[in-house]
Amino acid sequence: MTSEAVTRLDSASEAPRSVGIGLILRRLLRDPVAVFSLLVLTLLLIALLAAGQVAPYDPLRQNLRLRNLPPGTPSADEGGFPHILGTDELGRDLLSRLIHGARVSLAVGLGSALLSGTAGTALGIVAGYYGGRLDDLIMRLVDLQMSFPFLLLALLVLYALGPGFVNVILVLALVRWMVYARVARGLTLAMRTSPFIDAARVTGNSDLRIIRRHLLPNLASPLVILFTLEIAALILGEAALSYLGFGVQKPEPSWGLMIEAGKSYVSTAWWLTTFPGLAIFLTALSLNLLASSLRAISDPVQRERWLNAGLKERP
Amino acid sequence: MLAYLGRRLLQSVAVTFVVLSLVFVAGRILGDPVRLVVGIEASEERVQRVREQLNLNQPLGEQYATFIGDALSLQFGVSFWQKVPALPRVLERIPATLTLAAAALALALPLGITLGALSALRPWSRVDRITNVISLGGVSIVEFWLALMLILIFPVRLGWFKTSGYGGIEYFVLPALTLCYKPLGRIAQITRSALLDELAKPYVKAARARGLKERRVVFVHALKNAAVPVLTISGDELAALLNGAIIVETVFGWPGIGRLTIQALERRDLPMVEATVFVVAIFIIVTNLLVDMAYTWLNPRIRFSAAGDA
Amino acid sequence: MLQRKTLLIITLLLLLLPTALQAQDDTVVIAVGIEPVSMDAWRGFAETGGPGFLNAVEQLVTRDFASGELVPLLATAWEWIDDRTIQFTLREGVSFHDGSYFNAEAAATSINHTFDPENAFDLLDFVGSMSAEAVGDYTLNVSTPEPDPILLNKMYFVPIGSAQQLMDDPDSYHTNLIGTGPYRFVEWRSGESITYEANPDWWGHGMMDEAGGEVSFQRAVYRFLPEDQVRTAAVQAGEAHIAQYITPEQCAEVGMSDSARCESAASVETIFIRMDTNSPMLGDVRVRRALQLGIDKDLIIETILGGTATATGQIVNDTALGHSPDISPYPYDPEEAAALLAAAAADGVPVDMPITLGARIAVMPGIDETLQAVASMWGDLGLNVAVEFFDPEGFGQVMLVNIKDVPPERNFVAVHLHGQELLDYHISYRFYFSCDGILSVYCNDEAEALWNAAEPLAGAERDATLQQLNQVAHDDVAAGYIGHLDFSYAVSNDLNWDLKLDHRLQAKEMSPAG
């Protein structure tokens, strides 16, 4: 099957063709961007699973005499691992903190994005598909959520549930669900009256089936992209909450918190904010590239263009 | 359409009412505003006196009744801290917020759509990848970092524009640039993905088959159909901007509504919090209404039926 | 293509915009961190609460920092007529900015309004109650309910506003600042700035020494820029002359430029460490001493604070009555600390109790780093320490408790700033160490007796008793200390300004350079 697919690729025919996993993998590996994003995600996975083993230093070990050392400074100990990314405002190794911080940041980013994405999408589809009172109710809830100050909401949850890691995820999900709800509703509204939904309805399909088979696939691509954008926003949002006394407290590392702590040193020690910022960016970028590649693979027409993309540019 | 508008208006009044009630309750649950008004070293008798002055010694039900009565006549009382009526102080801050939000969106919307469309035109090309990096940079950038970098590069090094403050165009450029990057990134990303979906549809194939130029297919036909999610995201970004750009306002010393809200919340200045929430709620509701109306304009098949058909 | 062209044109247009103009010659611009809550004249008692207010309102007396003495301003002379009352002779020929005359009647109205319990202004808590009475056209009696030897010191914190305003339009007291000063208040733009302009009718023209300065600018503008980086950048870009409160790193950076300099001076603020002395762990004096010996103060000051503090072992600095030259800070001695902890543990003191080490966010530059450094140093002693940061309200809830209301298992330690503006140890002791002090988690009967004995005393006697009290508190480790804090400013080289110990930003003390 694989060899068959390869011959078809070489023929570069315009007709959609069936593709096997082998081809897709091979194609992915030939695409430097995809390789890059897979690489970043693999590194993140390693950081998640084995932070203690791969980090060269204890992320909490301070040395005030070695604060704000620039990237590449050799270790103060004989034969020690160099501070590749420099040290932070308390002389802790920045790379080690970045590796340990991945765990908190990814859990918060992915957790709250999944939670808000699921709830928001479901509500948005219901509002757009059924319309009427239900739509009014859900959308006014959106209005309400958007008008209520974030800080006040965060303080309320802190007051009611107390600080903690899970509550951070909860607050962030609570604050962002309406983004998905509005996008899902808008798309559903536009599709609700289209001929193919009408046809599905006439032929006696249940609402649930119509939503699952006909609506969701058409909503998937913007929502998945939105999801990858939200992850970056939520990792940054975690920093704001930590600042208020939620969840992660200093000196525990998280990317958001590291950026927040480097705030006063932007002009004198740029690496304190730049590297955690870069980590968030690379995470969002890799997830985004992977998501749009997977999206391309799952869609016959896009797949065609994606499979051909690299080839066309070559002489 | 008029019936629809009327219904939305009634609902909006209800939403505003609920938001204000929630803020009222939240404000009184969270700590004691009096302690913040009088400061940490105040004596107990002074605390009592201030509590009386602020009418915070009455039963909660009575306080709520007074509050609703006042709110109906657009009175939010006198700011606990500033001792001046709260609503005018909030309204004073509106122009700065509105102009900055408008400038940021006016930059982000066309640039974001253009970037997204350029990507979708040649997906997985080099142009696409570069635009992708630019737009994802927007969503993951740390705002105060960008703001401080702009300040250090332009006014301090090059002597261009102003570091901070509110005034003419030279004060405007840096905050607007900082503020537009995030919506720009989001709009570009959503435009790209919606366009790609649209370009995979049969009618685009048909248009191509008829020999229409690719650029025309993308920019004229597909873009209009892909506009719904782009519009939604732009609406969200506008709403976020109207809520006040707290970080940008703080860094640039911009007298907008975001910093006022934060200060009011930190000081548990309840009348001021209520007045800001009231004003912001009105902005949000109007924005969302406009977005809904734009849906029907873009896609005449979308109809907002009268209530009760569900 | 079209897009690219448009972009190019926009870029070119941006390039052509006029470069940032230098601040105008006749205006001095000062970047401050905090916006005032209102224009109430009494807020002029502190620069952070009333930026530039002393341009518009003046006090009866001011301080000469060369001699440390209180000297005349709106009052020309004074004498104690009994142990509760000072009689002031007021300056003649002075008028307020609204045209009304300054006399004993006006001064009494203003002072009584400031200290009216009904108004409940913060100044009442800060300096305590007082009242004023006009006994002649230019003779004013100010008295306190109880004998108060430092009443004259307190008058330095009482700005005099217009009495006419309080009569005609009392509401405007919160928005319009009317006084007798060298600059008059013009405008407060919420979220932006306060503008003052030169007052041609000021009494002090041509009396540089007596009036403490002269009017050198047409206008003085105080801009609110919450971020220290941006305040510094505003001075570097020539948009402001002074940036208030910048960090040591920024100070070093400004020091390298040609257009600006960094100025620092000691302040009245002390970084201190308050411990719940009723907990089973911190109730033991050996544990408290071990905690002090376990902090490398000099290292924290040298690195995190960039040298902008002086290590100390007491809550007041040497400008205050009751400061003891004999008290030196506990040295850094981790071995001794470990030995003390071991001895305490051997006696059954639970030295493994979890300690919460807390502070208010942004209470001073470098608080985050300082708190974490202390936690780490204590962690090295084998103690179980968790760091926690609070917003102002949250911090108030944990800080604003007397020892009687603290649960013994709380074991909370706070790092906080104490400002001893009144330059008197008695006041500081009342807040933080007396048995009923509203912020006190300490109670020591021997010390309390000394504190009570010092209250009615004045002069050298008061000083001696307070020093004795200070020593007792030190030996018992009533609190820990890191240092007395300095504050730094970026100052444009276009400006002559000599920074004084009160850290007031008065335009009359500034003039264009060269």
Side-chain angles (χ1 to χ4, degrees), chain C residues 250-298:
Chain C
Q250 290 154 4
C251 213
E253 212 185 326
V254 169
M256 287 185 293
S257 86
D258 300 331
S259 61
R261 62 189 185 273
C262 173
E263 298 213 1
S264 305
S267 74
V268 292
E269 301 286 343
T270 304
I271 313 167
F272 74 104
I273 301 170
R274 193 191 79 164
M275 300 168 279
D276 281 352
T277 60
N278 63 342
S279 89
M281 177 183 176
L282 299 172
D284 191 284
V285 67
R286 286 168 298 184
V287 175
R288 294 203 299 271
R289 181 164 296 140
L291 291 184
Q292 301 324 307
L293 294 168
I295 301 175
D296 193 342
K297 300 183 183 64
D298 294 323

Side-chain angles (χ1 to χ4, degrees), chain B residues 224-272:
Chain B
K224 192 176 173 199
N225 288 324
V228 165
V230 176
L231 186 70
T232 315
I233 283 293
S234 309
D236 280 343
E237 292 303 320
L238 180 62
L241 291 172
L242 292 174
N243 241 316
I246 296 157
I247 290 169
V248 168
E249 285 174 17
T250 307
V251 171
F252 290 103
W254 192 267
I257 199 170
R259 228 168 92 211
L260 187 68
T261 312
I262 288 294
Q263 284 173 349
L265 272 172
E266 279 174 353
R267 294 159 178 177
R268 308 288 192 277
D269 186 348
L270 302 180
M272 192 67 93

Side-chain angles (χ1 to χ4, degrees), chain A residues 13 22 35 44 52 67-68 75 78 97 114 130 156 184 222 249 252 256 295:
Chain A
S13 92
V35 171
L44 282 178
R67 50 199 302 268
N68 295 342
S75 171
E78 196 64 39
R97 286 183 69 72
L114 274 174
Y130 292 103
L156 264 183
Q249 284 273 327
E252 286 305 318
R295 170 69 190 146

Side-chain angles (χ1 to χ4, degrees), chain B residues 10-33:
Chain B
L10 275 178
Q11 289 175 354
S12 303
V13 172
V15 168
T16 318
F17 180 80
V18 175
V19 172
L20 284 176
S21 302
L22 285 177
V23 170
F24 176 87
V25 175
R28 274 145 186 94
I29 289 177
L30 290 171
D32 183 357

Side-chain angles (χ1 to χ4, degrees), chain B residues 40 46 49 53 81 160 163, chain C residues 15 37 117-118 120 125 239 400:
Chain B
I40 197 166
R46 221 197 113 199
R49 213 161 30 238
Q53 274 182 4
W81 263 68
W160 297 358
T163 57
Chain C
L15 288 177
V37 168
E118 282 304 308
D125 286 317
E239 293 169 31
L400 193 86

Side-chain angles (χ1 to χ4, degrees), chain C residues 188-448:
Chain C
W188 171 26
R189 298 170 73 158
S190 165
E192 274 185 82
S193 61
I194 300 176
T195 305
Y196 304 89
E197 68 179 9
N199 171 19
D201 303 323
W202 185 43
W203 59 269
H205 287 299
M207 306 166 62
M208 182 123 179
D209 286 338
E210 230 182 313
E214 60 183 343
V215 174
S216 315
F217 295 96
Q218 263 314 304
R219 257 181 309 277
V221 178
Y222 290 68
R223 292 183 49 198
F224 319 129
L225 293 176
E227 287 292 329
D228 43 32
Q229 293 257 359
V230 181
R231 291 198 293 275
T232 313
V235 169
Q236 288 172 324
E239 293 169 31
H241 294 98
I242 297 179
Q244 185 193 32
Y245 304 158
I246 63 173
T247 67
E249 284 86 0
Q250 290 154 4
C251 213
E253 212 185 326
V254 169
M256 287 185 293
S257 86
D258 300 331
S259 61
R261 62 189 185 273
C262 173
E263 298 213 1
S264 305
S267 74
V268 292
E269 301 286 343
T270 304
I271 313 167
F272 74 104
I273 301 170
R274 193 191 79 164
M275 300 168 279
D276 281 352
T277 60
N278 63 342
S279 89
M281 177 183 176
L282 299 172
D284 191 284
V285 67
R286 286 168 298 184
V287 175
R288 294 203 299 271
R289 181 164 296 140
L291 291 184
Q292 301 324 307
L293 294 168
I295 301 175
D296 193 342
K297 300 183 183 64
D298 294 323
L299 181 64
I300 289 177
I301 290 173
E302 181 195 328
T303 57
I304 293 171
L305 302 177
T308 57
T310 317
T312 184
Q314 50 194 318
I315 202 160
V316 293
N317 69 18
D318 56 11
T319 57
L321 216 58
H323 173 269
S324 167
D326 304 329
I327 296 176
S328 52
Y330 286 105
Y332 178 53
D333 189 346
E335 284 84 28
E336 174 69 15
L340 281 169
L341 285 175
D347 290 349
V349 176
V351 295
D352 53 351
M353 253 179 106
I355 297 176
T356 308
L357 181 65
R360 206 189 80 197
I361 48 179
V363 63
M364 62 171 210
I367 182 65
D368 290 22
E369 292 85 341
T370 305
L371 206 64
Q372 291 180 72
V374 170
S376 164
M377 288 166 186
W378 285 353
D380 291 345
L381 293 178
L383 300 171
N384 179 1
V385 189
V387 165
E388 194 168 344
F389 291 92
F390 298 87
D391 75 346
E393 157 70 9
F395 193 63
Q397 284 171 8
V398 293
M399 195 69 180
L400 193 86
V401 277
N402 180 266
I403 187 164
K404 289 190 277 295
D405 303 318
V406 175
E409 68 278 6
R410 187 172 84 150
N411 215 34
F412 177 73
V413 178
V415 175
H416 198 48
L417 283 186
H418 170 62
Q420 36 103 20
E421 289 89 350
L422 289 167
L423 309 184
D424 190 276
Y425 182 66
H426 192 268
I427 310 261
S428 306
Y429 191 93
R430 168 156 59 95
F431 284 132
Y432 287 107
F433 305 118
S434 68
C435 292
D436 295 318
I438 52 174
L439 292 152
S440 167
V441 289
Y442 179 74
C443 181
N444 174 339
D445 294 335
E446 181 201 348
E448 193 87 355

Side-chain angles (χ1 to χ4, degrees), chain B residues 77-255:
Chain B
V78 169
S79 155
F80 286 177
W81 263 68
Q82 306 197 342
K83 309 278 167 63
V84 293
L87 193 60
R89 182 113 299 175
V90 176
L91 294 177
E92 235 171 70
R93 297 291 192 98
I94 295 300
T97 292
L98 281 187
T99 43
L100 193 57
L105 203 67
L107 281 172
L109 202 55
L111 284 175
I113 291 176
T114 311
L115 279 186
L118 281 177
S119 289
L121 203 56
R122 309 257 329 253
W124 297 284
S125 67
R126 201 158 294 155
V127 177
D128 180 25
R129 274 162 195 165
I130 293 171
T131 11
N132 209 18
V133 167
I134 295 177
S135 56
L136 277 166
V139 298
S140 31
I141 201 137
V142 186
E143 267 181 349
F144 74 75
W145 183 87
L146 178 63
L148 289 174
M149 281 300 154
L150 289 176
I151 289 176
L152 293 176
I153 292 170
F154 290 104
V156 174
R157 286 280 143 72
L158 301 173
W160 297 358
F161 319 124
K162 297 287 190 185
T163 57
S164 53
Y166 179 52
I169 179 89
E170 72 268 35
Y171 292 93
F172 229 97
V173 177
L174 299 185
L177 276 181
T178 312
L179 209 49
C180 82
Y181 195 16
K182 195 176 291 265
L184 186 154
R186 292 177 78 97
I187 291 170
Q189 283 287 330
I190 295 293
T191 305
R192 177 185 184 274
S193 95
L195 262 181
L196 278 182
D197 275 5
E198 212 55 45
L199 290 174
K201 286 191 178 156
Y203 78 91
V204 173
K205 276 228 163 93
R208 282 204 193 105
R210 274 189 289 137
L212 286 180
K213 278 213 168 121
E214 181 75 6
R215 197 168 290 140
R216 192 175 157 76
V217 174
V218 172
F219 281 98
V220 179
H221 297 278
L223 197 56
K224 192 176 173 199
N225 288 324
V228 165
V230 176
L231 186 70
T232 315
I233 283 293
S234 309
D236 280 343
E237 292 303 320
L238 180 62
L241 291 172
L242 292 174
N243 241 316
I246 296 157
I247 290 169
V248 168
E249 285 174 17
T250 307
V251 171
F252 290 103
W254 192 267

